[in-house]
């Protein structure tokens, strides 16, 4: 579809001009004018020449020469850009992107840098499409190269995209300013006029002017610095490799750095505010290890001479993979051994692994268009697990992959989910593509594919993909062809290591003895939304299989059920284990119903071994009773991943109406025998989720009974925990989660220890630091009285540790005083004491508090316009705010209120998938309560 669209665009514009090198008529150069157009002086009666969101393909940018002068005193910048362009159709117009920039001058020069016209050229603006059109009175001839020169300027304001300012406070209380960029997906046009689409790759040469007290950073190294008028310095950067505009980056700051070199000579530096320099050393170690690992794994050298990683204060994104200059929120890069927990360490490691994986997946090879952003983000998310497992095995990152897939299932089982590859045209739609589907589902589908093809085949396939499409753009099909080892006839004849396309089908993979069409299989996962439910039934020596679409929003008894099932079919690489063999059996299921032979002697079958497949399994006709019996009598017969997945699937099936709640609750009865962290936390997590839902409904007796049951059932696990930082990563993670919940449930021993620790910490003037694994719990208990809350707010205001501030902020939102919760929301909106980057977290954390969930929702409704202005519509901030505030609603009245609000912002809500996701989620909660609350009440009465 994209290629056809581009061809249409090219043909359309070719009809607008004639080939002769002379002035053309107004009629020939001006198609119908779109609404919202603005003109600059001197444009006369010219009308905007382009009516589409995507730029025309008849002009290709080759090289940008960009000069920028940011002034951090006046908070403004001026600049100029000279873009070498290749004209592929005769035209009088150059159309490119610009958003919010004040264009002061535009000219076009020939290949010898001679002016085509003595006059300043007219510039037309189409703000609704974020485009400008520059009119040349002389035809730009097909096959010729020209230089487009534009001067521009704008303010440097607080923001989340483009070129923006952020501030940080020193230990003396001085406020300092930093300016940096975030261009993905459509922010480059806010910093300089450009062809801001991923397939317009070009080279970039930057010059940045600055005051001597600052440094500047960009994608490439500085090759010289010259002094210019007024005592300013001008840094000249080496020309970049060929890349997309969204990967350009620059920063002006007063930061300090630490530096090391990889085994192949790449210089790696970590930059941070001067007083946080001592928190950069772990990130440096990780970055060097990761670059070495990726160079070996991908068998492709990192192509730049350096890689800088910079911690930006008040950075509203998590991190960004700009080539050679990756940017991070401070909590994602800085590690303070005194205040950062083991979970913080894992987080920093994974974020760095993600951004550095992008240097190959995304930067070297880029998706053709944003509809396939999963080719960037799904791969980078999956490479986190592969790389961290290889370089830091002690962090047990594979345990986190399960939960990433569980998160994807939660999203994908709502009817409002979307296919991995989805239409996205305007900036809001593009922003929304950066979601659970692109990241988590993308990673889980790749995980399934890797296990399906084997590690070696998967790795060699992606190396082939990266080599073939280096410095280019790619589609889904290009990946499947690389993995299937097929290629064009031209590549085949030239001796490439691949099959010709005509041979491809003959050399299809063998899977469990069956031939496979990889493209056909993967299209069922990429081009249709949702996740399959595989229902299994024992019948003698055979296992009967049926696949349906798994939905949690519509019950099988609903009239809509059959309609929503129509047309859905996956090619599912099934795996299963039985008690009679240690072998993992495989079967490719490509039809609605199927069966496999397992033998008469098998007493149990576990389908989806280690959850390597992206599907939910339902054991029909007593199958769940068999699973519960196996867990009670011999739970270690299954791997910890299998046990965790059984718990997850059971409770998901309860929500979907396939399994009674008491069956799932009985299933986790075996957890008294469990010693592995993952199954324990999975079972405990569902009980906690039920408790948090119920405590917000004013069901006091039911909440009390459930809380007492959790404390009694997990008493042994709770009592085993020490208030320290000892043990393995898994043990420390369990400690943090278990003690946090125990104190939330008002467990007397937990509260007593936390209060004493908090008192001792205050009396010792906050030294030594609390054990990092329990610090958040201690702070949360300490925040319950006025003195503790005020003391924590003071520490928050003065701490230089971003991770400590994050833990304290969570604790402050645990207050039972609505006035304090409202104050936090207002401080977040103001952006001084609590930085704007943390406003979304504050809203979500207040909403988690039973005293604050309606408070947070009312705050969002009241301040909606401000929030959209602060965080772009479609951004993950807006998604998290909407889902975070409505996610625990479970009454028909709350559902009606959410609908009413979305109706009141209809123009914006209609542009967002998130609003429908939120409604689906609340509807799911309402149904869950209606169907399961009495069952829960009766079950607890029996147990108590």
């Amino acid at each position: 579809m994209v290629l056809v669209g581009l061809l249409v665009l090219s043909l359309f514009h070719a009809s607008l001009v004639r080939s002769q090198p002379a002035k053309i008529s107004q009629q020939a150069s001006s198609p119908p004018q779109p609404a919202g157009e603005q003109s600059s002086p001197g444009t006369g009666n010219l009308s905007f020449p382009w009516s589409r969101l995507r730029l025309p393909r008849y002009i290709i940018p080759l090289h940008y020469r960009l000069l920028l002068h940011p002034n951090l005193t006046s908070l403004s910048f001026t600049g100029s850009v000279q873009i070498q362009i290749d004209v592929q159709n005769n035209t009088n117009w150059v159309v490119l992107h610009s958003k919010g920039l004040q264009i002061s001058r535009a000219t076009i020069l020939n290949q010898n840098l001679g002016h085509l016209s003595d006059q300043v050229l007219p510039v037309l603006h189409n703000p609704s499409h974020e485009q400008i059109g520059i009119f040349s009175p002389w035809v730009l001839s097909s096959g010729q190269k020209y230089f487009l020169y534009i001067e521009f300027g704008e303010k440097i304001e607080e923001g989340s995209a483009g070129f923006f300012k952020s501030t940080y406070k020193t230990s003396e209380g001085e406020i300092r300013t930093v300016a940096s960029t975030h261009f993905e997906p459509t922010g480059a046009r806010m910093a300089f006029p450009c062809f801001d689409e991923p397939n317009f790759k070009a080279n970039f040469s930057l010059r940045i002017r600055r005051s001597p007290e600052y440094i500047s950073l960009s994608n490439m190294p500085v090759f010289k610095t010259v002094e210019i008028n007024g005592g300013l310095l001008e840094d000249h950067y080496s020309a970049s490799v060929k890349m997309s505009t969204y990967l350009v980056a620059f920063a002006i700051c007063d930061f300090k750095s630490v530096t090391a070199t990889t085994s192949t000579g790449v210089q790696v530096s970590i930059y941070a505010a001067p007083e946080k320099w001592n928190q950069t050393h772990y990130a440096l170690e990780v970055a060097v290890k990761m670059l070495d690992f990726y160079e070996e794994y991908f068998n492709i050298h990192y192509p730049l001479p350096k890689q800088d990683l910079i911690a930006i204060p008040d950075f509203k994104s998590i991190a960004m993979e700009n080539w050679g200059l990756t940017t991070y929120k401070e909590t994602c890069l800085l590690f303070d051994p005194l205040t950062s927990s083991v979970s913080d360490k894992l987080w920093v490691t994974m974020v760095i692994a993600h951004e550095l994986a992008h240097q190959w997946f995304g930067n070297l090879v880029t998706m053709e268009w944003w509809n396939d952003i999963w080719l960037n983000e799904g791969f980078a998310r999956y490479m986190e697990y592969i790389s961290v497992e290889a370089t830091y095995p002690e962090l047990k990152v594979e345990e986190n992959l399960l939960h990433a897939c569980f998160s994807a299932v939660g999203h994908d089982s709502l009817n409002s989910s979307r296919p991995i590859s989805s239409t996205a045209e305007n900036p809001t739609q593009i922003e929304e593509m950066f979601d659970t589907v692109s990241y988590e589902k993308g990673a889980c589908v790749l995980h399934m594919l890797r296990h399906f093809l084997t590690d070696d085949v998967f790795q060699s396939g992606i190396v082939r993909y990266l080599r073939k499409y280096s410095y280019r753009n790619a589609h889904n099909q290009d990946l499947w062809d690389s993995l299937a080892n097929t290629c064009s006839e031209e590549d085949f004849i030239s001796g490439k290591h691949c099959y010709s396309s005509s041979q491809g089908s003959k050399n299809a993979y063998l899977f469990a003895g069956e031939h496979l069409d990889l493209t056909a299989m993967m299209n069922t996962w990429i081009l249709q939304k949702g996740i399959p439910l595989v229902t299994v039934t024992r019948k003698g020596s055979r296992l009967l299989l049926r696949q349906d679409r798994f939905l949690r929003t519509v019950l099988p008894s609903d009239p809509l059920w059959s309609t929503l099932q129509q047309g859905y079919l996956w090619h599912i690489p099934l795996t299963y284990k039985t008690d009679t063999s240690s072998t993992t059996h495989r079967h490719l299921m490509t039809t609605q119903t199927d069966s496999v032979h397992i033998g008469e002697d098998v007493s149990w079958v576990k389908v989806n071994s280690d959850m390597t497949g992206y599907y939910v399994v339902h054991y029909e006709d007593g199958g769940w009773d068999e699973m519960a019996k196996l867990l009670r009598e011999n739970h270690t017969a299954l791997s910890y991943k299998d046990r965790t997945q059984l718990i997850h699937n059971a409770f998901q099936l309860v929500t979907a109406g396939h399994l009674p709640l008491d069956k799932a609750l009985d299933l986790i009865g075996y957890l008294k025998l469990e010693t592995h962290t993952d199954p324990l936390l999975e079972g405990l997590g569902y009980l906690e989720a039920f408790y948090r839902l119920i405590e917000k409904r004013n069901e006091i007796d039911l909440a009390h009974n459930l809380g007492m049951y959790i404390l009694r059932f997990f008493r042994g696990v709770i009592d085993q925990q020490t208030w320290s930082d000892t043990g393995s990563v898994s043990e420390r993670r369990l400690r943090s989660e278990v003690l946090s919940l125990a104190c939330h449930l008002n467990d007397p021993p937990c509260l007593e220890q936390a209060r004493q620790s908090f008192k001792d910490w205050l009396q010792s003037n906050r030294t030594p630091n609390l054990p990092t694994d329990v610090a958040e719990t201690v702070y949360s208990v300490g925040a319950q009285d006025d003195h503790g809350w005020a003391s924590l707010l003071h520490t928050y205001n003065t701490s230089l540790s971003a991770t400590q501030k994050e833990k304290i902020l969570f604790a402050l939102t645990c207050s039972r005083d609505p006035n304090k919760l409202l104050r936090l929301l207002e401080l977040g909106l103001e952006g001084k004491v609590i930085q704007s980057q943390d406003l979304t977290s504050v809203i979500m954390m207040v909403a988690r508090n039973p005293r604050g969930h309606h408070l947070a929702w009312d705050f969002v409704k009241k301040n909606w316009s401000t929030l959209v202005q602060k965080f772009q519509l479609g951004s993950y901030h807006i998604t998290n705010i909407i889902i975070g505030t409505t996610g625990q609603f479970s009454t028909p009245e709350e559902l009606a209120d959410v609908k009413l609000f979305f109706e009141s912002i209809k123009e914006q809500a209609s542009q967002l998938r998130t609003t429908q996701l939120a409604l689906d989620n609340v509807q799911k909660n309402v149904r869950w309560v209606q169907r399961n609350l009495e069952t829960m009440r009766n079950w607890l009465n029996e147990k108590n």
Side-chain angles (χ1 to χ4, degrees):
M1 284 298 288
V2 175
L3 289 175
V4 172
L6 298 182
L7 180 61
V8 170
L9 293 183
S10 179
L11 292 173
F12 172 69
H13 204 87
S15 70
L16 300 183
V17 297
R18 302 297 176 194
S19 59
Q20 69 268 23
K23 291 186 180 182
I24 63 172
S25 71
Q26 179 63 37
Q27 183 179 4
S29 64
S30 302
Q33 173 181 339
E37 175 196 302
Q38 294 177 358
S39 302
S40 61
T43 56
N45 63 349
L46 293 174
S47 57
F48 201 83
W50 195 248
S51 60
R52 306 186 184 203
L53 274 167
R54 302 272 289 273
L55 293 179
R57 307 297 302 171
Y58 62 88
I59 289 182
I60 306 297
L62 302 175
H63 198 131
Y64 293 76
R65 287 175 171 82
L66 180 61
L67 169 64
L68 289 162
H69 179 195
N71 186 324
L72 299 193
T73 304
S74 66
L75 292 176
S76 62
F77 71 96
T78 55
S80 65
V81 64
Q82 182 193 85
I83 311 173
Q84 185 183 26
I85 55 175
D86 181 8
V87 176
Q88 300 188 347
N89 280 338
N90 292 345
T91 183
N92 291 76
W93 286 95
V94 180
V95 179
L96 67 163
H97 287 111
S98 176
K99 181 182 179 184
L101 297 173
Q102 303 301 313
I103 308 292
S104 54
R105 185 165 182 256
T107 58
I108 297 177
L109 301 88
N110 63 24
Q111 292 188 78
N112 301 317
L113 298 180
H115 287 268
L116 293 187
S117 171
D118 293 334
Q119 67 191 64
V120 174
L121 300 181
V123 180
L124 273 66
H125 295 254
N126 183 0
S128 64
H129 289 183
E130 301 175 357
Q131 294 170 358
I132 55 173
I134 298 170
F135 177 76
S136 168
W138 297 95
V139 171
L140 307 179
S141 301
S142 177
Q144 297 298 307
K145 294 181 175 63
Y146 299 88
F147 291 93
L148 175 65
Y149 177 79
I150 307 173
E151 294 178 1
F152 55 92
E154 184 52 304
K155 295 175 183 176
I156 303 175
E157 297 180 312
E158 181 189 305
S160 57
F163 186 30
F164 51 84
K165 73 155 190 170
S166 53
T167 57
Y168 72 94
K169 188 160 61 174
T170 67
S171 56
E172 283 78 37
E174 181 189 352
I175 303 295
R176 295 186 182 176
T177 301
V178 175
S180 63
T181 58
H182 183 93
F183 291 162
E184 189 179 35
T186 58
R189 64 192 70 172
M190 300 167 72
F192 60 100
C194 57
F195 297 79
D196 198 14
E197 294 177 5
N199 52 10
F200 283 118
K201 290 193 171 189
N203 302 98
F204 296 82
S205 298
L206 267 70
R207 290 180 292 150
I208 299 178
R209 292 177 179 171
R210 60 179 172 85
S211 298
E213 66 266 28
Y214 294 105
I215 61 168
S216 77
L217 297 169
S218 188
N219 305 82
M220 299 297 289
V222 172
F223 70 85
K224 72 173 179 181
T225 299
V226 297
E227 189 168 345
I228 58 173
N229 295 339
L232 292 174
L233 300 177
E234 185 175 280
D235 294 326
H236 293 232
Y237 287 88
S238 302
S240 76
V241 295
K242 197 175 177 184
M243 64 185 189
S244 304
T245 47
Y246 78 86
L247 294 170
V248 176
F250 38 89
I252 296 85
C253 59
D254 61 350
F255 288 180
K256 304 297 181 191
S257 65
V258 292
T259 301
T261 306
T262 69
S263 60
T264 56
V266 178
Q267 182 175 295
V268 180
S269 301
I270 315 294
Y271 287 85
E275 291 179 302
K276 297 176 182 179
W277 177 85
N278 63 334
Q279 299 175 40
T280 58
H281 299 283
Y282 178 68
L284 183 64
E285 174 200 307
V286 173
V288 169
K289 271 192 179 184
M290 288 299 165
L291 280 177
D292 280 338
F293 170 81
Y294 286 136
E295 283 195 325
E296 183 178 347
Y297 187 89
F298 296 134
N299 197 21
I300 298 172
H301 283 302
Y302 175 75
L304 307 188
K306 62 93 175 175
Q307 172 67 55
D308 296 335
L309 299 85
I310 180 171
I312 306 287
D314 202 10
F315 190 56
K316 294 180 183 64
S317 298
I318 293 172
M320 177 59 207
E321 67 265 21
N322 319 297
W323 216 344
L325 176 59
T326 51
T327 48
Y328 301 80
K329 191 175 179 178
E330 288 183 323
T331 51
C332 302
L333 188 67
L334 304 182
F335 180 80
D336 179 2
L338 296 177
T339 59
S340 301
S341 69
V342 70
S343 295
D344 298 326
K345 189 174 197 175
L346 175 61
W347 175 245
V348 167
T349 311
M350 291 181 73
V351 175
I352 294 173
H354 182 100
E355 303 311 327
L356 296 187
H358 271 311
Q359 308 303 298
W360 286 264
F361 271 103
N363 299 10
L364 185 64
V365 180
T366 311
M367 76 276 138
E368 180 73 22
W369 183 250
W370 300 107
N371 62 306
D372 282 333
I373 187 59
W374 85 278
L375 286 172
N376 286 18
E377 299 302 348
F379 258 108
R381 176 55 50 90
Y382 188 46
M383 289 309 300
E384 293 174 31
Y385 301 103
I386 293 176
S387 62
V388 176
E389 190 172 359
T391 53
Y392 290 90
E394 70 279 7
L395 291 179
K396 303 289 185 188
V397 72
E398 71 275 6
E399 297 175 8
N400 285 56
L401 178 58
L402 274 179
H403 298 285
C405 296
F406 293 162
S407 174
V409 172
H411 185 110
D412 221 13
S413 54
L414 301 177
N415 190 43
S416 48
S417 186
R418 64 170 182 86
I420 287 179
S421 184
S422 300
T423 301
E425 291 297 321
N426 66 46
T428 298
Q429 292 169 344
I430 293 168
E431 282 279 358
E432 279 206 303
M433 293 294 287
F434 293 80
D435 65 358
T436 302
V437 173
S438 291
Y439 285 74
E440 277 73 23
K441 183 178 179 179
C444 296
V445 167
L446 289 171
H447 181 60
M448 177 171 67
L449 185 58
R450 181 183 176 213
H451 278 266
F452 174 59
L453 299 177
T454 73
D455 292 359
D456 289 344
V457 171
F458 180 81
Q459 183 178 354
S460 62
I462 61 174
V463 169
R464 197 156 40 240
Y465 169 79
L466 289 171
R467 284 184 180 278
K468 182 170 182 179
Y469 297 100
S470 290
Y471 306 105
R472 293 164 60 192
N473 298 80
H475 300 271
N476 287 324
Q477 188 61 51
D478 301 322
L479 177 61
W480 312 144
D481 288 346
S482 298
L483 287 165
N485 211 9
T486 62
C487 56
S488 68
E489 297 295 335
E490 181 186 349
D491 284 344
F492 181 63
I493 292 165
S494 67
K496 303 281 184 184
H497 295 288
C498 51
Y499 300 123
S500 68
S501 298
S502 59
Q503 283 288 106
S505 59
K506 298 176 187 175
N507 293 287
Y509 285 106
L510 279 174
F511 181 76
E514 303 164 39
H515 281 283
L516 157 75
D517 180 342
L518 188 65
T519 297
M521 172 188 159
M522 293 313 298
N523 281 348
T524 70
W525 298 97
I526 303 301
L527 302 182
Q528 66 179 348
K529 68 180 180 180
I531 178 171
L533 169 66
V534 176
T535 301
V536 302
T537 312
R538 284 287 299 277
K539 189 171 184 180
S541 63
R542 300 200 70 79
L543 194 67
L544 306 185
L545 308 166
R546 185 182 79 249
Q547 64 162 294
D548 299 290
R549 182 182 171 201
F550 180 59
L551 283 167
R552 293 186 302 151
T553 44
V554 180
L555 304 176
S557 56
D558 290 347
L560 263 180
W561 170 262
S562 58
T563 305
L564 295 174
Q565 293 293 333
Q566 284 174 12
Y568 284 89
L569 183 72
W570 287 266
H571 291 190
I572 308 172
L574 288 174
T575 55
Y576 61 94
K577 291 177 184 172
T578 71
D579 60 316
T580 59
S581 169
S582 58
T583 304
T584 297
H585 303 278
R586 298 169 180 271
H587 174 71
L588 187 64
M589 184 181 184
T590 59
T591 53
Q592 204 79 43
T593 58
D594 204 348
S595 69
V596 291
H597 179 79
I598 56 171
E600 297 281 359
D601 300 334
V602 168
S603 60
W604 57 260
V605 183
K606 165 65 179 65
V607 179
N608 199 359
S609 301
D610 289 339
M611 203 179 161
T612 51
Y614 184 69
Y615 54 95
V616 174
V617 182
H618 177 36
Y619 300 90
E620 224 169 29
D621 294 347
W624 279 106
D625 294 332
E626 286 180 11
M627 289 292 112
K629 181 172 182 285
L630 174 62
L631 290 175
R632 284 195 308 272
E633 295 177 357
N634 186 19
H635 67 279
T636 55
L638 300 175
S639 70
Y640 84 85
K641 292 178 182 178
D642 279 336
R643 304 195 299 269
T644 307
Q645 188 220 354
L646 281 173
I647 295 168
H648 169 267
N649 281 192
F651 282 107
Q652 293 295 306
L653 288 164
V654 169
T655 306
H658 295 281
L659 192 68
L661 176 61
D662 50 2
K663 289 273 189 189
L665 291 169
D666 288 341
L667 182 84
I668 61 171
Y670 94 96
L671 285 176
K672 284 195 173 183
L673 308 170
E674 185 61 79
T675 57
H676 196 284
T677 295
D678 260 43
L680 274 170
L681 288 182
E682 189 66 17
L684 185 61
Y686 275 104
L687 294 175
E688 179 182 0
F690 299 152
Y691 179 85
R692 290 190 178 276
L693 188 75
I694 291 165
E695 73 172 342
K696 293 179 178 67
R697 292 178 53 84
N698 206 26
E699 294 268 1
I700 297 169
D701 290 343
L702 182 56
H704 174 77
N705 288 343
L706 178 56
M708 294 306 293
Y709 172 78
I710 294 170
L711 290 174
R712 191 170 65 252
F713 186 83
F714 289 98
R715 185 80 263 159
V717 177
I718 296 168
D719 290 345
Q720 284 172 10
Q721 306 310 313
T722 59
W723 294 69
S724 67
D725 283 340
T726 59
S728 68
V729 170
S730 295
E731 290 166 345
R732 294 178 65 180
R733 191 161 61 92
L734 181 66
R735 174 186 301 132
S736 293
E737 298 288 340
V738 165
L739 292 178
S740 173
L741 180 58
C743 281
H744 181 71
L745 296 176
N746 296 314
D747 180 45
C750 186
L751 291 174
E752 184 182 345
Q753 178 62 58
R755 285 175 183 140
Q756 188 60 51
S757 297
F758 186 72
K759 182 181 174 184
D760 294 344
W761 179 69
L762 284 182
Q763 288 179 345
S764 65
N765 199 26
R766 300 166 181 79
T767 55
N769 287 289
L770 292 164
T772 59
D773 295 342
V774 297
E776 190 171 88
T777 297
V778 172
Y779 295 149
S780 299
V781 172
Q784 296 310 315
D785 65 58
D786 292 347
H787 174 66
W789 198 88
S791 300
L792 283 166
L793 186 59
H794 173 75
T795 305
Y796 178 86
N797 212 6
T798 56
S799 175
L800 291 174
S801 166
T803 52
Q804 184 184 40
K805 288 169 76 85
E806 196 173 59
K807 291 174 177 61
I808 290 174
L809 191 56
F810 173 82
L812 292 169
T813 65
C814 292
S815 171
R816 293 186 177 90
D817 182 349
N819 293 323
K820 289 186 173 67
L821 300 178
L822 187 58
R823 186 182 170 197
L824 291 173
L825 292 168
E826 289 167 347
L827 287 172
L829 195 64
E830 182 188 50
K832 293 178 180 176
V833 175
I834 297 173
Q835 291 181 310
S836 296
Q837 66 172 11
D838 297 317
L839 174 57
T840 302
S841 297
V842 171
I843 293 170
M844 292 171 67
M845 290 187 295
V846 169
R848 197 167 178 256
N849 186 328
R851 305 289 176 91
H853 74 304
H854 285 136
L855 195 71
W857 173 238
D858 290 342
F859 175 84
V860 169
K861 290 188 292 183
K862 178 183 175 184
N863 296 285
W864 175 253
S865 297
T866 307
L867 293 171
V868 171
Q869 194 176 350
K870 237 179 217 302
F871 311 112
Q872 288 178 295
L873 194 67
S875 69
Y876 82 93
H877 284 281
I878 296 298
T879 296
N880 287 345
I881 286 169
I882 290 174
I883 302 296
T885 49
T886 63
Q888 292 275 287
F889 288 169
S890 64
T891 68
E893 293 77 19
E894 288 167 332
L895 177 60
D897 185 45
V898 175
K899 284 180 177 176
L900 194 64
F901 175 65
F902 289 162
E903 188 63 33
S904 74
I905 56 162
K906 192 172 184 178
E907 188 179 339
Q908 292 168 322
S910 63
Q911 299 178 56
L912 297 174
R913 285 195 189 96
T914 302
T915 51
Q916 192 54 52
L917 278 171
L919 290 171
D920 273 5
N921 199 48
V922 179
Q923 180 68 63
K924 167 188 67 72
N925 292 344
V926 170
R927 287 193 170 204
W928 190 94
V929 166
Q930 290 170 346
R931 293 177 62 251
N932 294 297
L933 214 60
E934 283 310 304
T935 306
M936 172 73 77
R937 206 186 310 275
N938 295 334
W939 188 85
L940 286 170
N941 287 338
E942 284 179 22
K943 296 297 176 183
N944 289 335

